[in-house]
Amino acid sequence: MKKNSVSEFELEKQDFKIRLKRGGNGSTPGVAYEDAAPVLTYVQPAVAAAAAAPVAPPAAAPPPASNEVDIKSPMIGTFYRAPSPESASYVEVGAEVNADTVVCIIEAMKVMNEIKAEAKGVITQVLMENAKPVEFGQPLFKIRPS
């Protein structure tokens, strides 16, 4: 935080929240002493009610065909199936691809990044909806290698 001149950072995601805060750069802060040290706050999700009643384990998803592999997102951003709204999608289910075939675009910080299949095979599933956010490592497509 000191290296990047950040005095406060907060991250909130679903049932998790973290907040870091630090005081001045080695000088005595003009506020109470507790502002000079980093503050870490964790909000525990409310699970007491769920723990009281027995819960059946979630139904397991059917295992994928053993020979299918995922094309995963290499970054956080917005997933686009086509180069522009008027254009056709890069790939559809059943399309044959090779390692250099562009399968989608992920926009990150206003930069359009072409994502390649990185494997030779046939697209068996499109797992993402167009123009939706994706996370690092999130599966985008399933491919049956050939």
Side-chain angles (χ1 to χ4, degrees):
M1 290 175 71
K2 184 182 266 185
K3 179 180 174 185
N4 293 306
S5 300
V6 175
S7 61
E8 190 170 337
F9 174 79
E10 187 170 333
L11 173 69
E12 189 170 342
K13 203 172 194 187
Q14 293 174 348
D15 60 350
F16 177 78
K17 181 177 179 180
I18 187 169
R19 182 173 178 229
L20 301 171
K21 186 175 182 181
R22 72 175 192 88
N25 295 331
S27 62
T28 306
V31 292
Y33 177 72
E34 66 243 18
D35 286 339
V39 176
L40 178 64
T41 306
Y42 174 73
V43 178
Q44 178 68 29
V47 293
V55 177
S66 61
N67 60 345
E68 286 186 350
V69 294
D70 292 336
I71 298 174
K72 296 180 180 180
S73 174
M75 64 188 68
I76 295 172
T78 303
F79 171 84
Y80 293 106
R81 293 192 58 195
S84 70
E86 307 83 36
S87 302
S89 296
Y90 283 109
V91 293
E92 296 291 343
V93 172
E96 291 188 29
V97 296
N98 61 41
D100 294 325
T101 303
V102 175
V103 293
C104 66
I105 289 177
I106 296 181
E107 176 189 4
M109 298 178 62
K110 304 294 181 193
V111 175
M112 300 298 183
N113 301 283
E114 291 183 338
I115 307 305
K116 296 182 180 181
E118 296 183 0
K120 183 177 180 184
V122 176
I123 300 291
T124 59
Q125 275 186 294
V126 178
L127 303 172
M128 285 300 305
E129 217 176 302
N130 192 47
K132 297 292 182 184
V134 294
E135 296 290 328
F136 173 79
Q138 183 174 357
L140 306 173
F141 298 89
K142 287 207 178 281
I143 186 173
R144 184 177 57 243
S146 57

